[in-house]
Amino acid sequence: VTRTEPHPHEARRRLEHARTSRLAQLRALDATERSSDDHLLSTQKAAMERALEEIEEAFTRIDDGTYGICVGCAKPVPPERLEILPHTSHCVACRRRTA
């Protein structure tokens, strides 16, 4: 049986794992000694913080029943994409258009 909609419990588990990983990465970046690469460090921190925001937004989409639906075209996001990037809000085609 092929499931077109992600199971909310499985989605939450993946998002929790992604959040835990990003928080650990952010803590590691905070612990890094400042050097001439401060710009790189701040860029990495900003990317981690944005990913955490996207994860929180994905939890909201689960709660309101829109998780797994592309915000660009309103079509289902392929389950394979959600497995790899559980906090995504776009299908590949729409992400390419917004990038």
Side-chain angles (χ1 to χ4, degrees):
V1 175
T2 302
R3 185 189 311 263
T4 57
E5 293 182 26
H7 189 276
H9 176 72
E10 183 65 19
R12 282 188 186 282
R13 187 188 64 73
R14 284 193 186 113
L15 288 167
E16 289 286 351
H17 176 73
R19 179 168 48 193
T20 301
S21 295
R22 296 311 186 292
L23 287 170
Q25 291 169 336
L26 197 53
R27 280 192 298 273
L29 288 172
D30 284 339
T32 302
E33 288 187 33
R34 305 291 182 228
S35 68
S36 60
D37 286 338
D38 278 349
H39 177 70
L40 177 60
L41 187 63
S42 65
T43 301
Q44 289 173 323
K45 282 182 68 171
M48 287 301 120
E49 290 166 351
R50 179 63 192 139
L52 286 165
E53 288 173 14
E54 290 173 357
I55 290 166
E56 294 306 319
E57 291 166 2
F59 278 116
T60 300
R61 288 192 304 278
I62 289 174
D63 293 340
D64 69 20
T66 61
Y67 181 80
I69 304 298
C70 177
V71 299
C73 66
K75 294 180 182 174
V77 175
E80 300 82 14
R81 179 164 171 76
L82 291 170
E83 279 184 40
I84 295 167
L85 199 61
H87 55 277
T88 190
S89 60
H90 292 86
C91 66
V92 174
C94 287
R95 174 54 68 200
R96 284 186 184 139
R97 282 192 288 267
T98 63

